[in-house]
Amino acid sequence: MEHTPDIDDARDAARDTARKVGDHPALEALARAGFVVSGVLHIVLGWTAGRVGWGSGGRADQSGALSTLASNPAGTILMWVIVIGLAALVLWQLTVAIGPRLGDSGVLDRVKAVGKAVVYGAIARTAAKFAMGSGSSSSSEQSSQDVTATLMEAPAGQLLVGAVGVAVIAVGGYHVYKGVTRKFLDDLEEDPGTRATRSGTVGYPAKGAVLALVGVFFVIAAVQHQSSQASGLDGALKSLRDQPFGPYLLTVVAVGLVAFGLYCFARARHQRI
């Protein structure tokens, strides 16, 4: 398909603008702060998951982590800091998708950037609700079931739900691969040091395993044609707890999530932006 000169010019202008926005020092600083925010959320999530593994209550998902942070005396201020940091990551990921730099590998990286922007945006939206005093009381499990039920009603709904599950499993598998091979170091400007590298090597596979487990529940929901089988992060971790040696398995995952959070702190400093 041939492009007209006007379309090509508009596309090039959009890419140039995106690159300029992405290279702005203010956005770079805020995006790095966003990685710190992500690190804090993963550490709180890991702590919560560990407590759930040994019988304590609470939700082991992003909403539960935000609720924990929002409950402290400076909770409202902290929620707005989280919103700003994650919003910066959303904008930065969109600049990557629209105006990729030289050396980026193309369509796949741009699709991944859009996906990350959606995830960061969803968490930022939840944080904003907590900041305004209307934090969601629904768990990720309920949200997953609602999304699954909506997809089930669409034409070829089972296939759509199954495709979502396979995609989430694939993302989880990639996280495991990225951690085991230390490919995550390619995202950085320089070597972050031994401790940060070890944190990433442990953290990425742990996060990947959890994501893959969430994807498995989507596939089960598709096969059984029951949206109630879908499970978010909270449900996936609690299902792991209920397995033989579950508390120990969940403790390993919790340590991995904390390790990923610690890696995010190093990423904030060394990420290629």
Side-chain angles (χ1 to χ4, degrees):
M1 179 179 178
E2 295 184 359
H3 297 287
T4 65
D6 289 343
I7 294 177
D8 288 337
D9 290 345
R11 181 183 59 190
D12 292 341
R15 288 178 176 174
D16 289 342
T17 300
R19 290 182 185 127
K20 289 178 181 178
V21 172
D23 291 336
H24 196 284
L27 179 59
E28 177 179 342
L30 288 173
R32 293 190 187 281
F35 285 119
V36 174
V37 166
S38 179
V40 171
L41 289 176
H42 278 90
I43 289 173
V44 175
L45 177 58
W47 169 254
T48 304
R51 294 185 64 203
V52 167
W54 294 98
S56 297
R59 295 201 305 268
D61 56 15
Q62 292 90 343
S63 182
L66 288 170
S67 177
T68 298
L69 292 171
S71 63
N72 74 76
T76 300
I77 295 175
L78 184 56
M79 288 300 103
W80 284 120
V81 170
I82 290 173
V83 170
I84 293 170
L86 293 180
L89 284 179
V90 171
L91 180 56
W92 174 61
Q93 292 291 354
L94 290 177
T95 67
V96 172
I98 297 171
R101 276 63 173 172
L102 294 177
D104 288 347
S105 56
V107 175
L108 181 58
D109 280 341
R110 297 170 75 178
V111 171
K112 284 163 51 180
V114 172
K116 291 177 182 179
V118 171
V119 172
Y120 290 136
I123 300 174
R125 181 172 178 268
T126 302
K129 288 184 177 180
F130 277 107
M132 294 183 289
S134 58
S136 174
S137 60
S138 64
S139 67
S140 58
E141 181 176 5
Q142 184 60 53
S143 299
S144 296
Q145 290 175 0
D146 292 343
V147 170
T148 303
T150 300
L151 290 175
M152 285 287 192
E153 295 174 357
Q158 278 183 276
L159 291 177
L160 286 174
V161 173
V164 169
V166 171
V168 175
I169 292 172
V171 171
Y174 180 70
H175 274 69
V176 174
Y177 163 77
K178 199 169 182 178
V180 171
T181 63
R182 298 188 174 181
K183 188 174 176 61
F184 58 87
L185 294 175
D186 294 343
D187 299 332
L188 308 181
E189 296 174 334
E190 58 187 1
D191 187 340
T194 302
R195 291 182 180 178
T197 300
R198 287 175 179 171
S199 294
T201 303
V202 173
Y204 268 97
K207 184 173 181 178
V210 172
L211 289 172
L213 186 57
V214 172
V216 167
F217 279 106
F218 273 95
V219 173
I220 292 174
V223 171
Q224 298 184 358
H225 204 280
Q226 292 181 346
S227 61
S228 61
Q229 294 297 321
S231 179
L233 183 57
D234 180 61
L237 291 175
K238 288 178 178 176
S239 72
L240 184 62
R241 175 198 60 191
D242 296 336
Q243 303 305 310
F245 304 104
Y248 299 97
L249 292 173
L250 191 50
T251 298
V252 171
V253 170
V255 170
L257 291 173
V258 171
F260 187 85
L262 294 174
Y263 167 74
C264 285
F265 294 156
R267 189 178 182 187
R269 179 178 179 182
H270 301 289
Q271 173 71 34
R272 270 193 306 118
I273 294 181

